[in-house]
C-alpha cells in the first residue's frame, strides 16, 4: 500500500470534513477518494471518520492521526528536497583533484564559483598529478579531477577542454629571448626541463614527440616538479622549459616566447568516472573550464628582452656550466 498517498488523501478530507470538496481539492473523483480512505482504515484497523451523521467528523483515532500525518508528510517533503539537492550536486562531499602547478588565483576562483553555485557542497580539493588522478578515479577514491591530455583511460567521461598555448621559458638575458618567437630547431643541444613522465605519461610522451618532430632533440630531460625548482634550472642556463605564459609571470627574471607555428598546446579538462557519477562532477567540469579559460591571457606580441642585465646570470643558454 502507498501509505503516504493515502495519508495525503486523509489529511485533505480531515481539513474539509466533506468528501466532495476534498475530491475537488485533490483533483480526483469522489469514489476513488472514498476507497482510498477505506483502505487506510482497513490497514490501520480503526475508523478515522464518523459517518453516522450528515456531517463527517473525525474520530478520536482520526484526530490523533491528523497530527502525526502532518508531521510525517512534512518530513517526506524535507527528505525529497534534500535528495533533490543531493541529486543536483548542491549537497554532500565532492572529492576533486587538481594539478600541483595550478596557480593559487585559479584555485580561489574555482572554489568561489563552486561555493556560489552550490553553497551546501563540501569540496575536498586535493593536489594530485594527472597519473594519480586517473588511478584514484578508477579506484573510486576521487569523484572528479583536472587532467592534462592526452589521456587514454577507459571508464572516464570528460568535460569541456581548454587549450593553452605553450612557449619557451628562457632567462631574460639569453640571446634567444631577444626574438619575438623561438624556433624549436633553434633549441638543439639544449636540455629540456619537464615534469617526470610518471606524473602525466601521455603528455610527457607527446611533448617529446613534437619537440623531436620540429628539430629539437633535447640533450637530456631534467625533471622539475615545482615551479621554483624549474625556474632555478632555467636561470642556471643550458636548459629550457616549454610551459604556458602564466607560469613565466611568477618570475621576473624569466622570459616567455611563443614557438614558431604554435605546435604545442596544453589541453586540460575535467574528468569523472563513467559509472557512479557524483551529481556535482559535471558542474565541477563546467566551472573548471570557465575558470581556466578566463585565466588564459589574450595573445599578444612578446616583449623584447632588455639589452642590459639587471641581475647576474650564471651562464648563457647553450653554454655548458663549468664544474
Amino acid at each position: 500500500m502507498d501509505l503516504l498517498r493515502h495519508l495525503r488523501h486523509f489529511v485533505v478530507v480531515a481539513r474539509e470534513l466533506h468528501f466532495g470538496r476534498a475530491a475537488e481539492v485533490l483533483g480526483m473523483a469522489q469514489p476513488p477518494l472514498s476507497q482510498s480512505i477505506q483502505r487506510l482504515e482497513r490497514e490501520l484497523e480503526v475508523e478515522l471518520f464518523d459517518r453516522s451523521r450528515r456531517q463527517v467528523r473525525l474520530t478520536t483515532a482520526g484526530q490523533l492521526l491528523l497530527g502525526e500525518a502532518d508531521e510525517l508528510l512534512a518530513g517526506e517533503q524535507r527528505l525529497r528536497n534534500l535528495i533533490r539537492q543531493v541529486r543536483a550536486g548542491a549537497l554532500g562531499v565532492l572529492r576533486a583533484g587538481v594539478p600541483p602547478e595550478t596557480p593559487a588565483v585559479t584555485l580561489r576562483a574555482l572554489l568561489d564559483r563552486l561555493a556560489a553555485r552550490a553553497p551546501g557542497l563540501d569540496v575536498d580539493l586535493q593536489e594530485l598529478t594527472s597519473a594519480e588522478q586517473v588511478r584514484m578515479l578508477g579506484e573510486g577514491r576521487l569523484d572528479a579531477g583536472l587532467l592534462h591530455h592526452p589521456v587514454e583511460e577507459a571508464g572516464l567521461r570528460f568535460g569541456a577542454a581548454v587549450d593553452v598555448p605553450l612557449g619557451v621559458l628562457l632567462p631574460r638575458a639569453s640571446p634567444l629571448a631577444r626574438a619575438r618567437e623561438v624556433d624549436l630547431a633553434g633549441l638543439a643541444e639544449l636540455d629540456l626541463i619537464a615534469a617526470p613522465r610518471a606524473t602525466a605519461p601521455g603528455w610527457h610522451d607527446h611533448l617529446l614527440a613534437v619537440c623531436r618532430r620540429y628539430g629539437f632533440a633535447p640533450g637530456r630531460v631534467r625533471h622539475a616538479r615545482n615551479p621554483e625548482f624549474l625556474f632555478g634550472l632555467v636561470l642556471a642556463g643550458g636548459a629550457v622549459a616549454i610551459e604556458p605564459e602564466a607560469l613565466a609571470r611568477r618570475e621576473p627574471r624569466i622570459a616567455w616566447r611563443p614557438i614558431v607555428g604554435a605546435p604545442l598546446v596544453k589541453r586540460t579538462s575535467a574528468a569523472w568516472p563513467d559509472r557512479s557519477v557524483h551529481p556535482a562532477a559535471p558542474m565541477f567540469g563546467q566551472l573548471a573550464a570557465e575558470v581556466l579559460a578566463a585565466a588564459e591571457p589574450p595573445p599578444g606580441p612578446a616583449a623584447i628582452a632588455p639589452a642590459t642585465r639587471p641581475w647576474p646570470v650564471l651562464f648563457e643558454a647553450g653554454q655548458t656550466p663549468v664544474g
Side-chain angles (χ1 to χ4, degrees):
M1 182 182 73
D2 188 349
L3 178 61
L4 292 175
R5 180 169 65 87
H6 293 304
L7 283 176
R8 281 192 288 271
H9 294 169
F10 162 74
V11 168
V12 176
V13 176
R15 300 285 188 229
E16 297 293 333
L17 292 177
H18 192 284
F19 278 84
R21 290 196 300 269
E24 292 180 4
V25 171
L26 291 167
M28 61 188 299
Q30 184 173 335
L33 175 59
S34 297
Q35 294 169 9
S36 175
I37 298 301
Q38 291 169 6
R39 185 170 182 182
L40 179 61
E41 289 177 323
R42 287 196 302 270
E43 181 70 22
L44 298 179
E45 298 181 351
V46 293
E47 287 189 356
L48 300 173
F49 295 97
D50 181 0
R51 303 172 179 84
S52 61
R53 305 176 184 179
R54 289 186 177 181
Q55 185 178 2
V56 176
R57 294 183 178 182
L58 284 168
T59 64
T60 301
Q63 292 173 355
L64 293 173
L65 179 61
L66 181 58
E68 295 294 332
D70 282 336
E71 185 175 345
L72 182 60
L73 292 174
E76 180 216 13
Q77 189 58 48
R78 288 194 300 270
L79 179 61
R80 288 182 180 275
N81 291 336
L82 178 67
I83 296 303
R84 189 179 300 113
Q85 292 184 67
V86 172
R87 191 167 59 244
L91 290 177
V93 178
L94 176 72
R95 302 165 299 174
V98 294
E101 71 275 11
T102 307
V105 64
T106 302
L107 291 177
R108 176 61 185 272
L110 177 57
L111 289 173
D112 284 349
R113 292 203 183 194
L114 285 167
R117 182 72 64 87
L121 184 66
D122 181 9
V123 182
D124 178 13
L125 209 58
Q126 304 176 43
E127 181 186 55
L128 299 166
T129 66
S130 289
E132 290 170 334
Q133 291 183 55
V134 168
R135 183 177 67 253
M136 292 176 66
L137 286 167
E139 295 171 350
R141 295 190 291 129
L142 203 66
D143 300 311
L146 280 179
L147 304 179
H148 295 317
H149 292 259
V151 177
E152 297 181 4
E153 187 69 23
L156 290 182
R157 192 179 305 176
F158 296 94
V162 176
D163 289 344
V164 179
L166 298 184
V168 181
L169 269 59
L170 304 154
R172 282 195 177 274
S174 167
L176 292 171
R178 295 170 187 163
R180 293 189 178 275
E181 293 182 318
V182 173
D183 193 331
L184 283 177
L187 304 176
E189 299 182 2
L190 292 176
D191 292 342
L192 175 66
I193 306 165
R197 184 181 185 277
T199 62
W203 166 249
H204 189 275
D205 294 346
H206 175 70
L207 172 63
L208 291 181
V210 173
C211 285
R212 294 189 182 106
R213 190 185 314 146
Y214 283 81
F216 175 33
R220 62 172 170 160
V221 178
R222 303 186 187 182
H223 293 152
R225 289 179 176 271
N226 66 74
E228 293 303 319
F229 187 63
L230 182 148
F231 293 151
L233 292 179
V234 170
L235 291 172
V240 296
I242 298 178
E243 298 287 346
E245 183 180 6
L247 184 63
R249 293 200 296 268
R250 302 190 197 180
E251 171 52 67
R253 294 172 293 175
I254 296 290
W256 182 89
R257 296 292 177 264
I259 302 171
V260 174
L264 280 166
V265 297
K266 179 163 281 189
R267 172 164 292 180
T268 305
S269 74
W272 54 89
D274 191 45
R275 296 181 179 181
S276 302
V277 180
H278 190 290
M283 176 183 64
F284 174 84
Q286 175 194 348
L287 296 180
E290 293 174 0
V291 168
L292 291 175
E296 175 59 18
I304 298 298
T308 59
R309 298 184 180 181
W311 45 76
V313 176
L314 299 181
F315 47 88
E316 297 286 4
Q319 179 183 346
T320 303
V322 178

